[in-house]
Amino acid sequence: MSTAANGPASYFPSIEKKYGRPVTEWLELIRSSPLTKHMELVAWLKTEHGLGHGHANALVAHTLAEARAK
């Protein structure tokens, strides 16, 4: 039995479906950005890449949490 994703990752299937790009591409895009603050990255994804606030927030939260865990 598989378990559903929790937290920001729960948005990933809908992000891939809506924007047509795999989540791995979005995460790499965020990692390669010179921006480092959460809301700066969210605003950038919204304005430059057309993501909605919730989707941008989920991707940024996941990426920054990964970086802190390292």
Side-chain angles (χ1 to χ4, degrees), residues 14-22 25-26:
S14 62
I15 291 169
E16 289 180 337
K17 183 177 180 181
K18 182 166 184 163
Y19 304 104
R21 293 172 71 176
E25 282 186 26
W26 291 113

Side-chain angles (χ1 to χ4, degrees), residues 11-45:
Y11 286 84
F12 290 178
S14 62
I15 291 169
E16 289 180 337
K17 183 177 180 181
K18 182 166 184 163
Y19 304 104
R21 293 172 71 176
V23 167
T24 54
E25 282 186 26
W26 291 113
L27 300 179
E28 188 55 39
L29 187 66
I30 294 165
R31 288 184 200 110
S32 67
S33 171
L35 303 172
T36 58
K37 293 183 180 178
H38 183 99
M39 290 310 295
E40 289 176 339
L41 287 160
V42 170
W44 174 67
L45 287 172

